[in-house]
Amino acid sequence: MPFPIDEKYIKETESELNVEFPTEFKNRMIKSNGGELVTDEFEFELYPFFDKSDRKRISRTCNHIGLETKNALEWNGFPKNGIAIGSDGFGNLVILTHNGDGILTDEIHFWNHEIGQMQKIAESINELDE
């Protein structure tokens, strides 16, 4: 069950991964850290930002964006400019990317782990959210 998050935890993840998340994505996650994204074509579980405010939130956010991105970067074919923000539960990921400058674009991509390719599925998180 997603819950609000303090923006300081988003900033910690940005610092850890050396990126800047898009404003629309940050605003969505501040209101609801994690949760599902469902479209006609896709169904994803969003990774939360790691929330260290109490034991319950630590437990609920242990599969956070920072950890999941570090794991994904070990996979063959995962884009080096990619940040894992969610999964479909079958090994495929939802990712944000940057152009080498660390500033992530609003575009949401589906990364297929079997063929190592990504495809844009939305211009921003707001196209997919509720």
Side-chain angles (χ1 to χ4, degrees):
M1 178 174 171
F3 44 85
I5 188 170
D6 188 310
E7 189 173 2
K8 73 179 181 180
Y9 297 116
I10 295 173
K11 290 179 193 279
E12 284 180 9
T13 302
E14 287 178 327
S15 178
E16 174 188 355
L17 297 175
N18 201 28
V19 296
E20 183 179 322
F21 286 93
T23 301
E24 287 180 14
F25 182 73
K26 287 193 278 193
N27 289 341
R28 190 261 188 224
M29 296 297 274
I30 287 169
K31 291 180 205 161
S32 184
N33 187 25
E36 291 184 337
L37 289 180
V38 180
T39 69
D40 293 340
E41 227 178 315
F42 302 102
E43 188 171 322
F44 302 108
E45 191 71 32
L46 283 177
Y47 298 133
F49 286 99
F50 192 37
D51 184 336
K52 298 178 260 189
S53 59
D54 62 46
R55 289 176 120 160
K56 188 173 187 177
R57 289 188 181 211
I58 289 171
S59 173
R60 288 172 132 187
T61 62
C62 62
N63 65 322
H64 55 87
I65 290 171
L67 175 66
E68 297 296 339
T69 295
K70 286 177 182 177
N71 289 339
L73 286 166
E74 300 294 320
W75 297 0
N76 191 26
F78 187 80
K80 297 298 176 209
N81 65 334
I83 300 296
I85 62 165
S87 169
D88 66 359
F90 300 103
N92 303 308
L93 300 175
V94 185
I95 66 172
L96 296 172
T97 61
H98 60 82
N99 297 316
D101 58 4
I103 299 171
L104 297 165
T105 68
D106 283 312
E107 295 177 349
I108 307 292
H109 297 270
F110 172 80
W111 181 73
N112 183 317
H113 78 286
E114 291 180 7
I115 58 175
Q117 291 182 345
M118 65 180 195
Q119 136 194 14
K120 183 169 82 169
I121 59 171
E123 290 296 325
S124 79
I125 192 79
N126 291 344
E127 277 187 24
L128 300 175
D129 205 17
E130 305 172 306

